[in-house]
Amino acid sequence: MKVKTADLTRPALDWAVGTALQLPVEICQIFQYGRPNGQHYISTGETDKDGAEVDFEPSEEWSQGGPIIEQEHLEVSPTLSNTKWVAGYPNNPTSKQYWSNGSTPLIAAMRCFVAAHLGDEVDVPDELLRCRTPW
């Protein structure tokens, strides 16, 4: 389903970031008591030092989103009201400027990154839009 990039939230936003990075993104079901609970997370196949799968959450985890901000030279700052954040991509390769808002610096930055690489609308897998998320 087509969704405005400005409206993306996790895990759909994380999926879009992985897609923009051309990573092997996989939508994984969260199970509770052996049954799917309607929530999903994104995996790229990365594992930690113990071999456990690492969730791909660049819109939540600075260890994943921070390097994207640094590598892409995104600008992130609070809005004048200090209740939201704005991220800018003024120096991207296409010379077009992109700006996005979000409730956190990472959400604003990842929306901006996705908009610059995938456009103002993204075709997101339906299961990511139907899932119940606690965030």
PDB file of all heavy atoms in Angstrom, residues 56-83:
ATOM      1  N   PHE A  56      16.541  -4.723  13.004  1.00  0.00           N
ATOM      2  CA  PHE A  56      16.960  -3.536  12.270  1.00  0.00           C
ATOM      3  C   PHE A  56      15.991  -2.422  12.621  1.00  0.00           C
ATOM      4  O   PHE A  56      14.829  -2.427  12.194  1.00  0.00           O
ATOM      5  CB  PHE A  56      16.978  -3.812  10.765  1.00  0.00           C
ATOM      6  CG  PHE A  56      17.481  -2.658   9.945  1.00  0.00           C
ATOM      7  CD1 PHE A  56      18.813  -2.273  10.014  1.00  0.00           C
ATOM      8  CD2 PHE A  56      16.636  -1.956   9.115  1.00  0.00           C
ATOM      9  CE1 PHE A  56      19.288  -1.205   9.266  1.00  0.00           C
ATOM     10  CE2 PHE A  56      17.100  -0.881   8.349  1.00  0.00           C
ATOM     11  CZ  PHE A  56      18.424  -0.515   8.430  1.00  0.00           C
ATOM     12  N   GLU A  57      16.439  -1.467  13.446  1.00  0.00           N
ATOM     13  CA  GLU A  57      15.597  -0.396  13.964  1.00  0.00           C
ATOM     14  C   GLU A  57      16.315   0.960  13.892  1.00  0.00           C
ATOM     15  O   GLU A  57      16.532   1.611  14.908  1.00  0.00           O
ATOM     16  CB  GLU A  57      15.209  -0.671  15.413  1.00  0.00           C
ATOM     17  CG  GLU A  57      14.470  -1.975  15.637  1.00  0.00           C
ATOM     18  CD  GLU A  57      14.239  -2.241  17.109  1.00  0.00           C
ATOM     19  OE1 GLU A  57      15.225  -2.268  17.877  1.00  0.00           O
ATOM     20  OE2 GLU A  57      13.066  -2.418  17.476  1.00  0.00           O
ATOM     21  N   PRO A  58      16.658   1.430  12.693  1.00  0.00           N
ATOM     22  CA  PRO A  58      17.384   2.700  12.612  1.00  0.00           C
ATOM     23  C   PRO A  58      16.555   3.902  13.046  1.00  0.00           C
ATOM     24  O   PRO A  58      17.129   4.948  13.359  1.00  0.00           O
ATOM     25  CB  PRO A  58      17.764   2.786  11.131  1.00  0.00           C
ATOM     26  CG  PRO A  58      16.728   1.972  10.438  1.00  0.00           C
ATOM     27  CD  PRO A  58      16.412   0.848  11.383  1.00  0.00           C
ATOM     28  N   SER A  59      15.237   3.761  13.109  1.00  0.00           N
ATOM     29  CA  SER A  59      14.420   4.887  13.569  1.00  0.00           C
ATOM     30  C   SER A  59      14.305   4.913  15.087  1.00  0.00           C
ATOM     31  O   SER A  59      13.705   5.828  15.645  1.00  0.00           O
ATOM     32  CB  SER A  59      13.016   4.814  12.951  1.00  0.00           C
ATOM     33  OG  SER A  59      12.303   3.697  13.442  1.00  0.00           O
ATOM     34  N   GLU A  60      14.934   3.931  15.746  1.00  0.00           N
ATOM     35  CA  GLU A  60      14.872   3.839  17.206  1.00  0.00           C
ATOM     36  C   GLU A  60      16.266   3.705  17.840  1.00  0.00           C
ATOM     37  O   GLU A  60      16.487   4.167  18.947  1.00  0.00           O
ATOM     38  CB  GLU A  60      14.021   2.632  17.593  1.00  0.00           C
ATOM     39  CG  GLU A  60      13.788   2.432  19.057  1.00  0.00           C
ATOM     40  CD  GLU A  60      12.777   3.392  19.656  1.00  0.00           C
ATOM     41  OE1 GLU A  60      12.030   4.029  18.908  1.00  0.00           O
ATOM     42  OE2 GLU A  60      12.755   3.511  20.880  1.00  0.00           O
ATOM     43  N   GLU A  61      17.177   3.067  17.137  1.00  0.00           N
ATOM     44  CA  GLU A  61      18.504   2.763  17.675  1.00  0.00           C
ATOM     45  C   GLU A  61      19.578   3.677  17.066  1.00  0.00           C
ATOM     46  O   GLU A  61      19.824   3.630  15.866  1.00  0.00           O
ATOM     47  CB  GLU A  61      18.873   1.302  17.395  1.00  0.00           C
ATOM     48  CG  GLU A  61      18.015   0.296  18.126  1.00  0.00           C
ATOM     49  CD  GLU A  61      18.218   0.340  19.630  1.00  0.00           C
ATOM     50  OE1 GLU A  61      19.335   0.657  20.085  1.00  0.00           O
ATOM     51  OE2 GLU A  61      17.247   0.053  20.346  1.00  0.00           O
ATOM     52  N   TRP A  62      20.207   4.474  17.926  1.00  0.00           N
ATOM     53  CA  TRP A  62      21.260   5.378  17.448  1.00  0.00           C
ATOM     54  C   TRP A  62      22.430   4.616  16.842  1.00  0.00           C
ATOM     55  O   TRP A  62      23.093   5.117  15.933  1.00  0.00           O
ATOM     56  CB  TRP A  62      21.742   6.284  18.584  1.00  0.00           C
ATOM     57  CG  TRP A  62      20.860   7.469  18.761  1.00  0.00           C
ATOM     58  CD1 TRP A  62      19.864   7.627  19.678  1.00  0.00           C
ATOM     59  CD2 TRP A  62      20.854   8.647  17.962  1.00  0.00           C
ATOM     60  NE1 TRP A  62      19.244   8.835  19.500  1.00  0.00           N
ATOM     61  CE2 TRP A  62      19.835   9.494  18.455  1.00  0.00           C
ATOM     62  CE3 TRP A  62      21.613   9.090  16.883  1.00  0.00           C
ATOM     63  CZ2 TRP A  62      19.559  10.737  17.902  1.00  0.00           C
ATOM     64  CZ3 TRP A  62      21.340  10.334  16.339  1.00  0.00           C
ATOM     65  CH2 TRP A  62      20.330  11.137  16.853  1.00  0.00           C
ATOM     66  N   SER A  63      22.691   3.415  17.311  1.00  0.00           N
ATOM     67  CA  SER A  63      23.808   2.637  16.761  1.00  0.00           C
ATOM     68  C   SER A  63      23.570   2.266  15.300  1.00  0.00           C
ATOM     69  O   SER A  63      24.522   1.965  14.574  1.00  0.00           O
ATOM     70  CB  SER A  63      24.039   1.371  17.594  1.00  0.00           C
ATOM     71  OG  SER A  63      22.909   0.513  17.531  1.00  0.00           O
ATOM     72  N   GLN A  64      22.305   2.285  14.860  1.00  0.00           N
ATOM     73  CA  GLN A  64      21.983   1.971  13.465  1.00  0.00           C
ATOM     74  C   GLN A  64      21.643   3.234  12.669  1.00  0.00           C
ATOM     75  O   GLN A  64      22.065   3.379  11.527  1.00  0.00           O
ATOM     76  CB  GLN A  64      20.805   0.992  13.412  1.00  0.00           C
ATOM     77  CG  GLN A  64      21.141  -0.352  14.023  1.00  0.00           C
ATOM     78  CD  GLN A  64      19.937  -1.265  14.144  1.00  0.00           C
ATOM     79  OE1 GLN A  64      18.813  -0.912  13.805  1.00  0.00           O
ATOM     80  NE2 GLN A  64      20.166  -2.460  14.637  1.00  0.00           N
ATOM     81  N   GLY A  65      20.863   4.136  13.244  1.00  0.00           N
ATOM     82  CA  GLY A  65      20.474   5.351  12.542  1.00  0.00           C
ATOM     83  C   GLY A  65      21.554   6.413  12.526  1.00  0.00           C
ATOM     84  O   GLY A  65      21.682   7.165  11.554  1.00  0.00           O
ATOM     85  N   GLY A  66      22.343   6.484  13.595  1.00  0.00           N
ATOM     86  CA  GLY A  66      23.402   7.487  13.683  1.00  0.00           C
ATOM     87  C   GLY A  66      24.397   7.431  12.536  1.00  0.00           C
ATOM     88  O   GLY A  66      24.711   8.474  11.938  1.00  0.00           O
ATOM     89  N   PRO A  67      24.914   6.236  12.192  1.00  0.00           N
ATOM     90  CA  PRO A  67      25.847   6.171  11.063  1.00  0.00           C
ATOM     91  C   PRO A  67      25.228   6.603   9.731  1.00  0.00           C
ATOM     92  O   PRO A  67      25.924   7.159   8.878  1.00  0.00           O
ATOM     93  CB  PRO A  67      26.244   4.689  11.026  1.00  0.00           C
ATOM     94  CG  PRO A  67      26.074   4.233  12.437  1.00  0.00           C
ATOM     95  CD  PRO A  67      24.863   4.975  12.942  1.00  0.00           C
ATOM     96  N   ILE A  68      23.918   6.394   9.555  1.00  0.00           N
ATOM     97  CA  ILE A  68      23.256   6.845   8.331  1.00  0.00           C
ATOM     98  C   ILE A  68      23.241   8.373   8.298  1.00  0.00           C
ATOM     99  O   ILE A  68      23.532   8.984   7.270  1.00  0.00           O
ATOM    100  CB  ILE A  68      21.826   6.276   8.233  1.00  0.00           C
ATOM    101  CG1 ILE A  68      21.878   4.751   8.128  1.00  0.00           C
ATOM    102  CG2 ILE A  68      21.074   6.882   7.044  1.00  0.00           C
ATOM    103  CD1 ILE A  68      20.526   4.066   8.283  1.00  0.00           C
ATOM    104  N   ILE A  69      22.914   8.991   9.435  1.00  0.00           N
ATOM    105  CA  ILE A  69      22.908  10.452   9.524  1.00  0.00           C
ATOM    106  C   ILE A  69      24.299  10.999   9.195  1.00  0.00           C
ATOM    107  O   ILE A  69      24.439  11.949   8.424  1.00  0.00           O
ATOM    108  CB  ILE A  69      22.462  10.911  10.927  1.00  0.00           C
ATOM    109  CG1 ILE A  69      20.992  10.551  11.154  1.00  0.00           C
ATOM    110  CG2 ILE A  69      22.701  12.407  11.121  1.00  0.00           C
ATOM    111  CD1 ILE A  69      20.522  10.724  12.591  1.00  0.00           C
ATOM    112  N   GLU A  70      25.321  10.386   9.774  1.00  0.00           N
ATOM    113  CA  GLU A  70      26.697  10.841   9.552  1.00  0.00           C
ATOM    114  C   GLU A  70      27.138  10.624   8.108  1.00  0.00           C
ATOM    115  O   GLU A  70      27.676  11.531   7.465  1.00  0.00           O
ATOM    116  CB  GLU A  70      27.631  10.100  10.505  1.00  0.00           C
ATOM    117  CG  GLU A  70      29.053  10.580  10.449  1.00  0.00           C
ATOM    118  CD  GLU A  70      29.934   9.899  11.480  1.00  0.00           C
ATOM    119  OE1 GLU A  70      29.440   9.068  12.263  1.00  0.00           O
ATOM    120  OE2 GLU A  70      31.127  10.207  11.485  1.00  0.00           O
ATOM    121  N   GLN A  71      26.897   9.438   7.586  1.00  0.00           N
ATOM    122  CA  GLN A  71      27.323   9.105   6.223  1.00  0.00           C
ATOM    123  C   GLN A  71      26.628   9.977   5.181  1.00  0.00           C
ATOM    124  O   GLN A  71      27.244  10.409   4.211  1.00  0.00           O
ATOM    125  CB  GLN A  71      27.005   7.636   5.944  1.00  0.00           C
ATOM    126  CG  GLN A  71      27.268   7.181   4.533  1.00  0.00           C
ATOM    127  CD  GLN A  71      26.805   5.760   4.305  1.00  0.00           C
ATOM    128  OE1 GLN A  71      26.757   4.950   5.225  1.00  0.00           O
ATOM    129  NE2 GLN A  71      26.452   5.442   3.085  1.00  0.00           N
ATOM    130  N   GLU A  72      25.355  10.262   5.394  1.00  0.00           N
ATOM    131  CA  GLU A  72      24.578  11.023   4.421  1.00  0.00           C
ATOM    132  C   GLU A  72      24.633  12.536   4.666  1.00  0.00           C
ATOM    133  O   GLU A  72      24.055  13.297   3.907  1.00  0.00           O
ATOM    134  CB  GLU A  72      23.123  10.561   4.443  1.00  0.00           C
ATOM    135  CG  GLU A  72      22.940   9.101   4.075  1.00  0.00           C
ATOM    136  CD  GLU A  72      23.266   8.809   2.621  1.00  0.00           C
ATOM    137  OE1 GLU A  72      22.895   9.620   1.745  1.00  0.00           O
ATOM    138  OE2 GLU A  72      23.893   7.766   2.353  1.00  0.00           O
ATOM    139  N   HIS A  73      25.291  12.952   5.740  1.00  0.00           N
ATOM    140  CA  HIS A  73      25.410  14.370   6.097  1.00  0.00           C
ATOM    141  C   HIS A  73      24.038  15.021   6.291  1.00  0.00           C
ATOM    142  O   HIS A  73      23.796  16.141   5.846  1.00  0.00           O
ATOM    143  CB  HIS A  73      26.225  15.140   5.058  1.00  0.00           C
ATOM    144  CG  HIS A  73      27.593  14.587   4.863  1.00  0.00           C
ATOM    145  ND1 HIS A  73      28.614  14.782   5.766  1.00  0.00           N
ATOM    146  CD2 HIS A  73      28.103  13.812   3.878  1.00  0.00           C
ATOM    147  CE1 HIS A  73      29.697  14.166   5.342  1.00  0.00           C
ATOM    148  NE2 HIS A  73      29.419  13.564   4.208  1.00  0.00           N
ATOM    149  N   LEU A  74      23.146  14.300   6.973  1.00  0.00           N
ATOM    150  CA  LEU A  74      21.830  14.851   7.276  1.00  0.00           C
ATOM    151  C   LEU A  74      21.962  15.871   8.403  1.00  0.00           C
ATOM    152  O   LEU A  74      22.786  15.703   9.307  1.00  0.00           O
ATOM    153  CB  LEU A  74      20.872  13.739   7.711  1.00  0.00           C
ATOM    154  CG  LEU A  74      20.517  12.714   6.641  1.00  0.00           C
ATOM    155  CD1 LEU A  74      19.792  11.525   7.254  1.00  0.00           C
ATOM    156  CD2 LEU A  74      19.675  13.338   5.564  1.00  0.00           C
ATOM    157  N   GLU A  75      21.152  16.910   8.338  1.00  0.00           N
ATOM    158  CA  GLU A  75      21.125  17.911   9.401  1.00  0.00           C
ATOM    159  C   GLU A  75      19.886  17.654  10.245  1.00  0.00           C
ATOM    160  O   GLU A  75      18.790  17.514   9.712  1.00  0.00           O
ATOM    161  CB  GLU A  75      21.062  19.313   8.797  1.00  0.00           C
ATOM    162  CG  GLU A  75      22.300  19.664   7.991  1.00  0.00           C
ATOM    163  CD  GLU A  75      22.194  21.025   7.329  1.00  0.00           C
ATOM    164  OE1 GLU A  75      21.193  21.738   7.566  1.00  0.00           O
ATOM    165  OE2 GLU A  75      23.106  21.370   6.578  1.00  0.00           O
ATOM    166  N   VAL A  76      20.058  17.616  11.564  1.00  0.00           N
ATOM    167  CA  VAL A  76      18.938  17.350  12.472  1.00  0.00           C
ATOM    168  C   VAL A  76      18.935  18.413  13.561  1.00  0.00           C
ATOM    169  O   VAL A  76      19.971  18.696  14.162  1.00  0.00           O
ATOM    170  CB  VAL A  76      19.063  15.951  13.116  1.00  0.00           C
ATOM    171  CG1 VAL A  76      17.874  15.665  14.018  1.00  0.00           C
ATOM    172  CG2 VAL A  76      19.201  14.867  12.049  1.00  0.00           C
ATOM    173  N   SER A  77      17.756  18.990  13.816  1.00  0.00           N
ATOM    174  CA  SER A  77      17.655  19.991  14.875  1.00  0.00           C
ATOM    175  C   SER A  77      16.222  20.048  15.396  1.00  0.00           C
ATOM    176  O   SER A  77      15.284  19.640  14.712  1.00  0.00           O
ATOM    177  CB  SER A  77      18.090  21.370  14.370  1.00  0.00           C
ATOM    178  OG  SER A  77      17.242  21.800  13.342  1.00  0.00           O
ATOM    179  N   PRO A  78      16.061  20.564  16.623  1.00  0.00           N
ATOM    180  CA  PRO A  78      14.705  20.704  17.162  1.00  0.00           C
ATOM    181  C   PRO A  78      13.975  21.843  16.464  1.00  0.00           C
ATOM    182  O   PRO A  78      14.604  22.773  15.956  1.00  0.00           O
ATOM    183  CB  PRO A  78      14.935  21.021  18.642  1.00  0.00           C
ATOM    184  CG  PRO A  78      16.295  21.618  18.693  1.00  0.00           C
ATOM    185  CD  PRO A  78      17.084  21.004  17.576  1.00  0.00           C
ATOM    186  N   THR A  79      12.656  21.746  16.440  1.00  0.00           N
ATOM    187  CA  THR A  79      11.856  22.850  15.905  1.00  0.00           C
ATOM    188  C   THR A  79      11.839  23.975  16.932  1.00  0.00           C
ATOM    189  O   THR A  79      12.278  23.795  18.072  1.00  0.00           O
ATOM    190  CB  THR A  79      10.420  22.397  15.595  1.00  0.00           C
ATOM    191  OG1 THR A  79       9.819  21.916  16.800  1.00  0.00           O
ATOM    192  CG2 THR A  79      10.400  21.314  14.531  1.00  0.00           C
ATOM    193  N   LEU A  80      11.325  25.101  16.545  1.00  0.00           N
ATOM    194  CA  LEU A  80      11.290  26.250  17.458  1.00  0.00           C
ATOM    195  C   LEU A  80      10.499  25.959  18.726  1.00  0.00           C
ATOM    196  O   LEU A  80      10.812  26.473  19.793  1.00  0.00           O
ATOM    197  CB  LEU A  80      10.724  27.475  16.749  1.00  0.00           C
ATOM    198  CG  LEU A  80      11.602  28.039  15.639  1.00  0.00           C
ATOM    199  CD1 LEU A  80      10.899  29.209  14.951  1.00  0.00           C
ATOM    200  CD2 LEU A  80      12.950  28.474  16.181  1.00  0.00           C
ATOM    201  N   SER A  81       9.476  25.116  18.612  1.00  0.00           N
ATOM    202  CA  SER A  81       8.666  24.795  19.789  1.00  0.00           C
ATOM    203  C   SER A  81       9.319  23.719  20.661  1.00  0.00           C
ATOM    204  O   SER A  81       8.855  23.449  21.761  1.00  0.00           O
ATOM    205  CB  SER A  81       7.284  24.311  19.358  1.00  0.00           C
ATOM    206  OG  SER A  81       7.406  23.076  18.660  1.00  0.00           O
ATOM    207  N   ASN A  82      10.407  23.102  20.157  1.00  0.00           N
ATOM    208  CA  ASN A  82      11.111  22.030  20.867  1.00  0.00           C
ATOM    209  C   ASN A  82      10.234  20.815  21.141  1.00  0.00           C
ATOM    210  O   ASN A  82      10.531  20.012  22.013  1.00  0.00           O
ATOM    211  CB  ASN A  82      11.727  22.530  22.180  1.00  0.00           C
ATOM    212  CG  ASN A  82      12.930  23.407  21.934  1.00  0.00           C
ATOM    213  OD1 ASN A  82      13.687  23.188  20.990  1.00  0.00           O
ATOM    214  ND2 ASN A  82      13.099  24.406  22.769  1.00  0.00           N
ATOM    215  N   THR A  83       9.128  20.673  20.411  1.00  0.00           N
ATOM    216  CA  THR A  83       8.269  19.505  20.605  1.00  0.00           C
ATOM    217  C   THR A  83       8.453  18.474  19.502  1.00  0.00           C
ATOM    218  O   THR A  83       8.049  17.335  19.645  1.00  0.00           O
ATOM    219  CB  THR A  83       6.779  19.903  20.651  1.00  0.00           C
ATOM    220  OG1 THR A  83       6.449  20.553  19.425  1.00  0.00           O
ATOM    221  CG2 THR A  83       6.502  20.811  21.832  1.00  0.00           C
TER     222      THR A  83
END
